[in-house]
Amino acid sequence: MPEAETVHVARRLSEGMERGVLSFPLTSFQERGSLDVGAYRGYLEGRIAAGPGAVFPVCGTGEFTALDEDEYREAVTAAVTVTRGRVPVVAGIGYGWAQALRFARIAEDAGADAALVLPHYLIQAPQDGLVEQLRKIADGTRLPLIAYQRDQVAFTADSLRRIARIPTVIGLKDGHSDLDRLQHLTLAAPDDFLFFNGAATAEIQARAYAAVGVPAYSSAVHAFAPEIACAFFHALQRGDADRADELLRGFYVPFVELRDRRTGYAVSLVEAAARLRGLPVGPVRAPLTHPAPDDLADLQKLLDQGLELVGVGR
């Protein structure tokens, strides 16, 4: 992608991060497991109407690793079609660099604005390898790239400087929540390099991230209750600590406690909450599983409580 276009995408994302949360939608499946593109379009329209800063389809919440390439193409194309340029579309790509490039080229052909590079598969790697991985992907696609550090991917300040010099690498999503390390990274980066908080249920740590210069964040809650996600975001924008605390105590903290009951709930609990609200998302795909009945009952109570806090009926 020519430098001017990369700068334009980065600017749109920066402006979006100031305007709203970053939306990571679920992917809609039929009850027998096949992709439901029609339902997905309707579901995405609801996410876009709620005013996110950008939409990130087929990433972690969207079960990227459960999709084949044809399904991925359909999902990204649907996201671009529904969005109609209203907000940037950043598609997830991943695995090793060769496979990530296959997905990047599909996303590029579908009209995505940028790509989020999910952590590579399985192996630990030295810093030189992490940098080279991004360089290989950048050399093979025109899309601007956002690196994602979590699990086995963690950049040093020196590596951050190196990836920031790759012309199409425009930002970093952080999922480690190591604020000491993150502060080193933000200080090492160019002024126009984008950072955002990608912790699970990022709202819990939003104020801590903002204190080290990273106020933007992704929101899984936006996937099923944008009313709650937007209320919290706007409370932070206004500096309304009392309202933010009310939402944290009344919804976010108990949601995290529920999420932590079982492995995989970071996605499957989000999907279950969307279904409880009648949203057309369908079931999760294996290896994820549907939440246990007792957890679903607690989720319904919590969802009702959160919606009541923001003045929305069930």
Side-chain angles (χ1 to χ4, degrees):
M1 178 173 287
E3 182 179 354
E5 292 183 44
T6 299
V7 170
H8 175 68
V9 171
R11 184 179 297 115
R12 287 189 68 210
L13 281 166
S14 178
E15 292 169 354
M17 289 175 179
E18 295 177 3
R19 185 176 61 248
V21 300
L22 304 177
S23 179
F24 280 67
L26 297 152
T27 300
S28 298
F29 298 112
Q30 296 178 6
E31 290 302 322
R32 293 189 177 183
S34 59
L35 185 67
D36 191 338
V37 178
Y40 186 53
R41 290 194 187 101
Y43 168 72
L44 284 172
E45 185 58 57
R47 302 317 95 198
I48 302 303
V55 62
F56 288 67
V58 291
C59 293
T61 306
E63 297 182 74
F64 166 77
T65 58
L67 299 174
D68 65 28
E69 291 183 13
D70 289 337
E71 292 170 327
Y72 177 88
R73 180 180 291 104
E74 289 187 85
V76 177
T77 299
V80 171
T81 300
V82 169
T83 302
R84 301 193 307 279
R86 287 175 285 176
V87 296
V89 174
V90 184
I93 63 174
Y95 304 114
W97 67 263
Q99 189 64 33
L101 266 179
R102 292 177 66 92
F103 285 103
R105 288 165 181 160
I106 293 170
E108 185 178 326
D109 290 344
D113 296 291
L116 177 68
V117 183
L118 305 175
H120 62 268
Y121 173 69
L122 190 63
I123 59 172
Q124 299 287 335
Q127 291 294 310
D128 286 348
L130 297 180
V131 174
E132 184 63 17
Q133 166 100 335
L134 280 172
R135 184 172 286 113
K136 289 278 193 184
I137 297 170
D139 285 347
T141 178
R142 297 171 60 249
L143 290 177
L145 304 175
I146 298 172
Y148 185 5
Q149 66 167 19
R150 65 174 295 162
D151 300 326
Q152 71 268 35
V153 176
F155 294 101
T156 63
D158 180 65
S159 294
L160 192 283
R161 293 186 191 97
R162 292 163 66 192
I163 67 171
R165 287 195 290 268
I166 300 171
T168 54
V169 176
I170 62 173
L172 177 75
K173 176 183 179 183
D174 176 70
H176 282 295
S177 302
D178 181 340
L179 298 183
D180 179 84
R181 173 189 283 267
L182 184 60
Q183 184 71 91
H184 282 80
L185 297 183
T186 61
L187 294 172
D191 290 342
D192 59 352
F193 199 76
L194 304 175
F195 287 90
F196 67 93
N197 165 8
T201 318
E203 286 90 343
I204 291 288
Q205 300 182 63
R207 287 185 289 197
Y209 269 81
V212 296
V214 183
Y217 60 89
S218 60
S219 176
V221 172
H222 195 273
F224 65 87
E227 305 94 333
I228 299 172
C230 292
F232 184 80
F233 178 84
H234 293 309
L236 292 185
Q237 277 197 319
R238 296 191 307 270
D240 188 344
D242 289 341
R243 179 60 165 159
D245 285 346
E246 179 183 38
L247 292 166
L248 287 170
R249 291 192 187 98
F251 178 77
Y252 282 101
V253 169
F255 181 75
V256 168
E257 291 170 350
L258 181 55
R259 184 201 71 201
D260 289 346
R261 288 183 188 176
R262 188 170 297 188
T263 301
Y265 272 13
V267 175
S268 60
L269 206 67
V270 172
E271 176 272 338
R275 284 169 67 107
L276 287 173
R277 296 204 72 192
L279 299 173
V281 297
V284 291
R285 279 183 169 176
L288 297 175
T289 59
H290 200 57
D294 287 350
D295 294 338
L296 279 177
D298 289 343
L299 177 62
Q300 181 67 77
K301 293 175 186 176
L302 179 57
L303 185 55
D304 290 345
Q305 181 174 306
L307 292 172
E308 183 177 350
L309 280 172
V310 297
V312 177
R314 178 173 168 182

